[in-house]
Amino acid sequence: MDNRQAIGSWLSGPRAAAEDMGVEFGYPGRQLGLPEQGPGSAARFGRRLGAVVIDWIGCQVIAYGLITGGNMSATGNWTLALFLGLTLLTVGTVGSTPGKRLLGLRVVSLDGGRLGFGRVLLRTALLALAIPALIWDRDGRGLHDRASRAVQVRI
């Protein structure tokens, strides 16, 4: 075997090189026992990002119009506070934010149940840092979901 195949190309990346060598990665959520498609399957990045954008824009509109009275310089901090409060309350009670609900997503525990308050608080605090949400594993879970032993699934 040529060593260049084992290392992989910088264009294809290490995952493509490993797949060429016969490594089976499977679909996102396979290691968690989730189905490949349909209800209960792991949520993909596009839907998760869309849900966050919907929630953020909603919080920004509320902060701009109702709290700061149109003061754009104060809107950013209020938007973050509203976003974190919304996430903490809605994920802790019904398992999804309005954006997640619109896009058909729900946050559940790895055993399929609802997250407890402590785990929702940890997940929300890590989500506020943004970086843990931008680093995810092969199953599509961000570090904030891994730390709280949660997964976002399709409804």
Side-chain angles (χ1 to χ4, degrees), residues 80 83-84 87-88 118-135 142-150:
L80 180 60
F83 179 78
L84 296 176
T87 301
L88 184 64
R119 290 168 57 186
V120 172
L121 183 62
L122 172 65
R123 184 182 183 279
T124 304
L126 291 173
L127 185 60
L129 298 175
I131 298 299
L134 297 174
I135 301 171
L143 292 179
H144 64 300
D145 284 332
R146 287 183 61 102
S148 61
R149 297 185 318 274

Side-chain angles (χ1 to χ4, degrees), residues 2-151:
D2 187 7
N3 282 340
R4 289 178 290 174
Q5 282 182 322
I7 296 172
S9 168
W10 66 275
L11 291 174
S12 63
R15 181 181 177 122
E19 287 174 343
D20 289 343
M21 292 172 50
V23 176
E24 172 80 28
F25 285 109
Y27 59 88
R30 179 178 179 196
Q31 293 179 337
L32 303 173
L34 302 175
E36 185 173 359
Q37 297 176 355
S41 64
R44 302 297 196 263
F45 177 73
R47 281 188 185 215
R48 294 191 327 258
L49 179 63
V52 168
V53 168
I54 290 169
D55 292 334
W56 186 265
I57 290 173
C59 291
Q60 194 164 30
V61 167
I62 291 169
Y64 181 78
L66 297 178
I67 297 175
T68 66
N71 182 359
M72 196 58 162
S73 63
T75 301
N77 292 333
W78 280 106
T79 301
L80 180 60
L82 286 171
F83 179 78
L84 296 176
L86 172 82
T87 301
L88 184 64
L89 291 174
T90 57
V91 170
T93 56
V94 295
S96 62
T97 64
K100 288 184 191 336
R101 179 63 71 177
L102 282 172
L103 296 182
L105 302 178
R106 186 162 189 242
V107 179
V108 296
S109 175
L110 287 179
D111 61 7
R114 227 175 59 207
L115 293 179
F117 180 74
R119 290 168 57 186
V120 172
L121 183 62
L122 172 65
R123 184 182 183 279
T124 304
L126 291 173
L127 185 60
L129 298 175
I131 298 299
L134 297 174
I135 301 171
W136 60 90
D137 63 8
R138 160 183 332 174
D139 292 315
R141 294 188 313 151
L143 292 179
H144 64 300
D145 284 332
R146 287 183 61 102
S148 61
R149 297 185 318 274
V151 63

